[in-house]
Amino acid sequence: MDFTALRKQFPVYAYEDIVYLDTAASSLTPQAVIDGMNEYYTRFPVNVHRGVYRLSYQATEAYTAARETVAKFIKASFEEIIFTRGASSALNLVAFSYGLSVLKPGDEIILSALEHHSNLLPWQAVAKQTGAVLKFVPLDPSGRITAEAFASTLSKKTRIVALTYVSNVMGYITPLKPIIALAHEQGAVVVVDAAQAAPHHAINVKELDCDFLAFSGHKMCGPTGIGVLYGKAHLLKAMPPIEYGGDMNDHVTLHDAVYKDPPYRFETGTPPIAEALGLASAIRFLQDIGLDAIAEHARHLREKALAGIEAISGITVYNPTTETGIITFNLDDVHPHDAVTYFDADGIALRAGHHCAQTVMQWLQVDATLRASFYLYNTDDDVKRFLDTLRRARTFFTEAGF
Amino acid sequence: MDTLENLYRQIIMDHYKNPRHKGLVDDPLYVTKHIKNPSCGDDITIQSLVREDIVEDVRHDGRGCSICCSSASVLASLMIGKTEHEAMTLTENYLNMITGKPFDQARDLEDALAYQGVTKFPARMKCATIAWQAFGATLNKKAGETDEQ
Ligand SMILES: Cc1ncc(COP(=O)(O)O)c(C=O)c1O
């Protein structure tokens, strides 16, 4: 695969001479995805499920086909795919529908300090409402979740396990298969936050055997405003909706209503139709390149960048053993917001801050970090420019007296 | 990298490395305001003591980048001894300068003029204004009031 040639498919590069290293926040958008969304707005820009006329039928067909594409992407069935606004709202849906209805006082929810706020705060809120207790898998010295540490946290009281598949700060891959098997032995249900995994991994929910899985379109070349919650069919069937209104019901009277079966039960109102089509286009785009090839490319760039960083003194890398395309680091004694401005002035987009993962910052005992994340449109030249700037930045801040 | 050198001016670095008037006091005559910028983690507390219309003391503490921390020190150095009205006008002037609005060049912002370079880095405006906003808020409150934000 010629990754450099692929860049031509990302229109932003025609306008910006940018080294984009913030994919872990949001990926760039290829023309194919823009076209996928435009098709809706140009050819059948009308509501789905409602109109009994040809255009509405066409729109509904396209929307349905998008859900099928997503289902195949993670080896799920059609009715197991719920469209949401993103990973955050998908995780909120599990917490406030499944969590609220099953949790009893004293039940335990297992999380980790590596969680994005979107897989922490919903559980905090649900635990407060139900009297359930949060437990955290202790991280190993490099900051990883291990199956052993998980086993020591698991108990007969564990009802829900909610863990990230790939950490958005450390880039580590959680050993989910043994964790899920252990959790199921205790009768617990496992929720996987795959926001950082879906862009880089072929996910097979049947093989993984997770009960729920969430991800976002905008981190995998898709549009913003769309995400996915996968849930096992029998679990979704038993769950109450958390939003009520049009489209999610079969029959309505003054005092009662009968709700639709999943997935529609959880999708009230006019859905993000163009975004669903865009997500399907993104999936086809990634599959045409090959997810393994994408992961390998990101790993190659990360290794090259890491080797370069390690040759510069005065830089701390917090995740040198990571297996994905994320490098989290700081210039010693330089606040990441000071550092990031230097990169910005050189046309290099890095993330600086706590990355919506303040518990990871607390574990690392830092206020904030820089993060470079590599993806399919990055090149060896990007790595070179990044390292050149890093070297000059280090000298600049030392000379400035930091 | 002219503009960057302009951003990290010597005055700014000096106040960053050797902050003046740093550390909070536990005195009910002071007005305290705490501002946190959740997106970047800057976290600043400003205290002011105004008596008989004069800003007698300004204290600050917090964590953040060089622009944020140094600006609190520069602010304190500038404001102590000013009348409350002058302090208010200077604060408005400074905030206008940073956000690229017209500001009164005749009012002497002294060392705070060094932050003009920030206008070239819109992403950093927040860093340069958070301490000043907190200070402005203390002037609008009564002694002993504390505010968490
Ligand atoms: C691991 C992880 N989980 C959840 C999210 C939330 O995704 P979104 O902002 O698309 O809802 C993110 C993205 O920032 C993430 O990295």
Side-chain angles (χ1 to χ4, degrees):
Chain A
M1 177 55 63
D2 181 352
F3 282 94
T4 306
L6 259 184
R7 275 160 84 97
K8 294 207 178 58
Q9 301 192 35
F10 290 81
V12 68
Y13 285 124
Y15 298 93
E16 300 284 338
D17 176 25
I18 190 179
V19 176
Y20 186 71
L21 302 180
D22 195 20
T23 297
S26 269
S27 53
L28 302 179
T29 316
Q31 189 61 47
V33 168
I34 300 166
D35 292 345
M37 289 192 285
N38 280 346
E39 190 187 11
Y40 167 72
Y41 284 118
T42 29
R43 303 280 306 286
F44 35 79
V46 299
N47 217 312
V48 288
H49 303 312
R50 293 178 186 178
V52 189
Y53 48 89
R54 189 179 50 83
L55 268 193
S56 177
Y57 179 78
Q58 251 180 297
T60 307
E61 288 281 284
Y63 183 62
T64 304
R67 196 189 309 269
E68 265 157 17
T69 303
V70 174
K72 287 208 185 85
F73 178 57
I74 59 169
K75 311 282 186 282
S77 340
F78 181 86
E79 68 279 7
E80 293 176 319
I81 300 298
I82 299 162
F83 283 131
T84 67
R85 275 187 296 115
S88 300
S89 48
L91 292 162
N92 273 276
L93 174 54
V94 192
F96 285 92
S97 172
Y98 182 80
L100 266 194
S101 46
V102 305
L103 289 167
K104 301 270 175 310
D107 283 350
E108 292 176 0
I109 305 170
I110 297 185
L111 309 168
S112 82
L114 286 188
E115 301 315 311
H116 187 279
H117 293 164
S118 294
N119 196 33
L120 172 64
L121 274 59
W123 301 111
Q124 290 178 348
V126 163
K128 280 189 188 123
Q129 286 188 41
T130 57
V133 180
L134 303 183
K135 296 270 161 178
F136 292 87
V137 184
L139 304 180
D140 84 354
S142 58
R144 285 170 188 274
I145 301 167
T146 64
E148 296 70 39
F150 174 76
S152 73
T153 317
L154 186 67
S155 85
K156 279 200 270 299
K157 293 194 204 139
T158 308
R159 287 302 303 266
I160 295 175
V161 175
L163 293 174
T164 190
Y165 199 158
V166 172
S167 156
N168 68 316
V169 178
M170 306 300 270
Y172 299 147
I173 301 174
T174 307
L176 284 177
K177 278 204 80 167
I179 286 176
I180 290 169
L182 286 164
H184 284 168
E185 277 172 27
Q186 293 292 349
V189 151
V190 182
V191 184
V192 175
D193 174 0
Q196 296 293 341
H200 301 268
H201 276 280
I203 292 174
N204 182 333
V205 291
K206 292 276 145 31
E207 208 183 291
L208 207 53
D209 201 24
C210 56
D211 300 286
F212 296 98
L213 182 132
F215 59 94
S216 292
H218 69 94
K219 293 183 199 282
M220 48 187 287
C221 293
T224 58
I226 184 116
V228 172
L229 176 67
Y230 156 82
K232 280 184 179 164
H234 73 276
L235 293 170
L236 292 180
K237 249 198 155 95
M239 280 161 51
I242 60 168
E243 287 188 322
Y244 300 80
D247 289 330
M248 49 76 74
N249 54 72
D250 273 335
H251 184 68
V252 180
T253 57
L254 284 177
H255 291 282
D256 216 347
V258 178
Y259 309 133
K260 281 190 173 138
D261 283 337
Y264 305 112
R265 183 187 299 167
F266 304 101
E267 296 178 3
T268 188
T270 302
I273 305 166
E275 287 76 6
L277 268 56
L279 175 59
S281 304
I283 288 172
R284 284 188 291 271
F285 178 79
L286 297 184
Q287 284 178 329
D288 284 347
I289 302 165
L291 282 154
D292 290 344
I294 294 169
E296 186 45 45
H297 179 66
R299 257 197 305 271
H300 156 77
L301 295 176
R302 189 255 304 149
E303 270 165 30
K304 204 165 164 170
L306 188 62
I309 294 174
E310 281 171 348
I312 308 168
S313 59
I315 292 163
T316 302
V317 176
Y318 300 103
N319 63 340
T321 64
T322 192
E323 51 276 65
T324 59
I326 292 176
I327 300 178
T328 291
F329 64 105
N330 267 328
L331 278 69
D332 298 345
D333 300 320
V334 182
H335 192 283
H337 282 108
D338 288 318
V340 83
T341 298
Y342 195 96
F343 285 91
D344 190 20
D346 261 6
I348 297 174
L350 291 184
R351 181 79 184 269
H354 54 59
H355 321 293
C356 296
Q358 293 184 33
T359 56
V360 186
M361 298 298 111
Q362 288 151 19
W363 186 85
L364 288 170
Q365 299 183 322
V366 296
D367 288 332
T369 71
L370 293 167
R371 178 183 69 187
S373 48
F374 295 92
Y375 202 37
L376 58 97
Y377 32 69
N378 296 120
T379 59
D380 288 318
D381 189 54
D382 283 352
V383 174
K384 183 179 171 303
R385 280 178 63 183
F386 163 70
L387 289 172
D388 284 348
T389 298
L390 179 60
R391 263 179 230 110
R392 278 186 283 106
R394 183 60 275 183
T395 309
F396 173 84
F397 286 108
T398 305
E399 285 172 358
F402 275 79
Chain B
M1 290 258 164
D2 273 6
T3 45
L4 264 179
E5 254 112 45
N6 209 20
L7 180 64
Y8 297 110
R9 299 270 295 274
Q10 215 156 18
I11 296 168
I12 295 179
M13 287 313 298
D14 181 40
H15 278 272
Y16 179 50
K17 298 307 267 186
N18 312 295
R20 335 290 201 253
H21 314 287
K22 189 172 161 122
L24 302 180
V25 291
D26 187 10
D27 179 338
L29 289 178
Y30 283 72
V31 185
T32 303
K33 175 79 184 175
H34 174 212
I35 298 191
K36 200 174 160 122
N37 177 358
S39 70
C40 68
D42 283 351
D43 185 330
I44 286 283
T45 304
I46 299 283
Q47 292 181 314
S48 67
L49 171 65
V50 181
R51 252 195 308 222
E52 309 207 342
D53 201 32
I54 299 292
V55 179
E56 284 192 2
D57 195 15
V58 178
R59 309 289 307 175
H60 64 96
D61 204 2
R63 307 171 77 97
C65 64
S66 62
I67 302 297
C68 171
C69 294
S70 65
S71 72
S73 166
V74 168
L75 164 94
S77 311
L78 176 68
M79 294 301 181
I80 294 172
K82 298 284 191 292
T83 66
E84 189 169 8
H85 179 72
E86 265 178 317
M88 213 106 80
T89 317
L90 286 171
T91 303
E92 263 169 45
N93 237 355
Y94 175 86
L95 292 174
N96 284 340
M97 173 183 86
I98 298 293
T99 50
K101 297 197 188 103
F103 68 100
D104 185 354
Q105 306 259 7
R107 299 221 176 234
D108 196 0
L109 282 167
E110 300 172 33
D111 284 358
L113 276 172
Y115 292 84
Q116 235 177 324
V118 175
T119 50
K120 295 272 186 321
F121 298 90
R124 300 297 296 284
M125 277 178 193
K126 259 242 163 91
C127 312
T129 52
I130 178 168
W132 290 69
Q133 275 160 353
F135 174 71
T138 66
L139 295 184
N140 294 322
K141 291 195 302 177
K142 295 206 170 49
E145 266 187 59
T146 320
D147 188 8
E148 279 295 315
Q149 186 183 310

